[in-house]
Amino acid sequence: MTCSILVGGAWGDEGKGKCITYLCDADKPDIIARAGVGPNAGHSVEFNGEKYGLRLTPSGFVHTGAKLMIGAGVLVNPDVIYKEFEDLKKYNVKERMHIDSRCAIINEDHLARDKNSEHLAKKIGSTGSGCGPANSDRVLRTIDLARDIPELEEYITDVSLEVNEAIDNGEDVFIEGSQGFALSLYYGSYPYVTSKDTTASTFAADVGVGPTKVDEVINVFKAYISRVGEGPFPTEMTQEEAESKGLEEYGVVTGRRRRIGHFDMELAKESCRINGATQIALTCVDRLFDCARVQNYDELSQETKAFIENIQNETGVPVTIISTGPDLKDTIDLRKELL
Ligand code: GTP
Ligand code: IMP
Ligand code: MG
């Protein structure tokens, strides 16, 4: 029995989508539950030659034996869910989806307030997905919950009860966080942050699991850093430097060009500390070093190994997953050796 939480280590887009699909395909958990803010997230999944951009559906959907859940803390936009049911039809996502009755619901008014607000859209550079205004209405206790929406009735459940019963029955539960540590409302670069805490403890609370039930916290970093939207970025490089290194990126939800920077060890240490990380997954290593699709640690160059070992030594957390390409197979999995 294992209850794992996967979190983003920096400003989101660390490649959580790829890591989650790899881990869920490899470990086959019984329940895969989405935590985090809501449909402001964009997770990229490449599986069997097809690409998916997900906003609410757990990225572990590729493991078709799992129940998929959305925890009470997550904001739900029903239109986003219905679209993902269509896009992911062949994976029976609709039939496997369970939404907590206490999820708060994003409506047109939240979307308009996010997109038309000078403060949110311009100063903060929000995703325009309605999450900030919806969370503020939730705090004011005026927002509708999933239990108030008749069209969602067939998906409604008590996620906390189901997840805790599964843990008590010795089943495996995988909790997917979204966004990243540096976007946390509490610990990030306020005010240039999202509308909620985005650390492991809050993700546990999002699905209604107590801290004593969590076994593993997997903190995902990219080998470099990206940030979309406004706010400080200590290791940022110029656009020209990013281009010369072939590190251009665009957002999944907004299509905006991402700012790119060097790996930030101070951020990594703080992120591991506050998340209580037990493992690090390092993605896009092939975009910094010449190791595309390598699946064996011994085949990495000395320079690449030194980069990885330095992260491990500085953070005190083992780097158990090394991603060398977008496909699930492009993964070095050191969990057997290191844990
Ligand atoms: P999260 O928001 O953290 O889930 O990240 P994401 O999944 O949204 O990542 P992003 O949108 O930044 O995806 C970037 C692209 O890189 C996607 O097409 C991924 O499939 C791909 N990708 C993920 N891991 C790797 C990797 O290790 N190497 C390479 N070359 N590409 C990767
Ligand atoms: P909001 O969450 O839409 O209010 O956006 C607030 C800030 O968080 C903006 O800088 C967004 O770009 C950023 N943000 C929110 N979610 C994500 C994500 O999943 N990936 C990357 N940045 C995000
Ligand atoms: Mg993303």
Side-chain angles (χ1 to χ4, degrees):
M1 172 224 100
T2 310
C3 177
S4 307
I5 304 186
L6 182 138
V7 303
W11 280 282
D13 306 322
E14 299 91 353
K16 292 185 291 294
K18 145 83 197 257
C19 292
I20 296 165
T21 40
Y22 170 78
L23 291 167
C24 290
D25 186 58
D27 299 350
K28 312 230 173 317
D30 301 282
I31 292 181
I32 306 171
R34 171 76 149 73
V37 182
N40 49 351
H43 294 196
S44 305
V45 171
E46 285 194 40
F47 188 67
N48 286 342
E50 294 192 45
K51 280 191 183 187
Y52 303 94
L54 305 173
R55 297 178 58 191
L56 276 172
T57 301
S59 301
F61 73 89
V62 299
H63 165 39
T64 50
K67 280 187 182 175
L68 304 174
M69 300 197 177
I70 299 181
V74 182
L75 297 166
V76 167
N77 178 337
D79 293 340
V80 171
I81 285 278
Y82 301 145
K83 178 172 183 309
E84 293 183 355
F85 285 166
E86 269 311 298
D87 294 348
L88 301 167
K89 228 176 190 160
K90 69 177 173 194
Y91 293 95
N92 289 336
V93 163
K94 181 176 187 292
E95 292 74 17
R96 294 190 284 140
M97 183 66 82
H98 306 269
I99 299 172
D100 196 281
S101 62
R102 296 155 289 200
C103 289
I105 300 295
I106 294 176
N107 62 28
E108 290 299 325
D109 179 51
H110 298 126
L111 289 167
R113 278 158 57 197
D114 202 358
K115 288 179 182 146
N116 301 332
S117 152
E118 187 78 17
H119 174 71
L120 293 175
K122 297 263 161 48
K123 181 177 175 207
I124 307 296
S126 79
T127 58
S129 54
C131 290
N135 268 336
S136 84
D137 280 1
R138 188 170 205 172
V139 171
L140 294 173
R141 284 145 287 174
T142 55
I143 199 164
D144 284 338
L145 301 184
R147 66 182 184 215
D148 306 318
I149 312 293
E151 300 84 69
L152 291 178
E153 198 181 339
E154 62 184 295
Y155 311 107
I156 294 300
T157 193
D158 183 335
V159 168
S160 173
L161 185 64
E162 293 216 33
V163 166
N164 280 285
E165 280 181 354
I167 292 172
D168 291 344
N169 291 335
E171 295 178 13
D172 291 332
V173 172
F174 192 93
I175 299 169
E176 302 186 9
S178 67
Q179 284 72 44
F181 168 77
L183 287 170
S184 163
L185 180 62
Y186 298 167
Y187 300 105
S189 44
Y190 184 90
Y192 302 101
V193 293
T194 189
S195 51
K196 202 170 99 176
D197 176 45
T198 50
T199 65
S201 309
T202 289
F203 296 148
D206 283 343
V207 300
V209 171
T212 52
K213 299 287 169 76
V214 177
D215 304 293
E216 297 288 341
V217 175
I218 304 149
N219 203 3
V220 184
F221 295 104
K222 254 191 310 217
Y224 51 94
I225 295 204
S226 66
R227 173 161 205 182
V228 53
E230 302 307 314
F233 188 175
T235 62
E236 185 167 14
M237 54 177 97
T238 61
Q239 282 205 354
E240 293 71 35
E241 190 180 353
E243 270 168 37
S244 73
K245 292 181 191 294
L247 298 178
E248 236 178 290
E249 287 195 14
Y250 294 88
V252 171
V253 176
T254 57
R256 289 180 293 183
R257 184 167 177 164
R258 292 180 184 155
R259 299 155 66 193
I260 303 290
H262 299 280
F263 191 86
D264 185 338
M265 196 62 80
E266 291 313 305
L267 176 65
K269 286 198 254 185
E270 190 184 16
S271 167
C272 284
R273 183 172 72 240
I274 295 180
N275 279 312
T278 61
Q279 302 179 47
I280 289 174
L282 193 62
T283 68
C284 295
V285 178
D286 57 298
R287 299 193 66 194
L288 213 56
F289 302 98
D290 183 20
C291 61
R293 316 210 64 179
V294 165
Q295 295 173 20
N296 185 338
Y297 190 76
D298 295 334
E299 285 171 32
L300 296 175
S301 69
Q302 280 310 323
E303 190 194 8
T304 316
K305 286 181 187 164
F307 177 79
I308 294 166
E309 281 160 22
N310 188 37
I311 294 173
Q312 196 156 274
N313 293 339
E314 290 279 337
T315 58
V317 179
V319 178
T320 53
I321 302 287
I322 299 162
S323 175
T324 57
D327 196 85
L328 298 200
K329 294 192 192 76
D330 311 331
T331 307
I332 302 171
D333 185 343
L334 300 172
R335 289 180 294 167
K336 281 205 183 79
E337 287 89 330
L338 295 177
L339 296 181

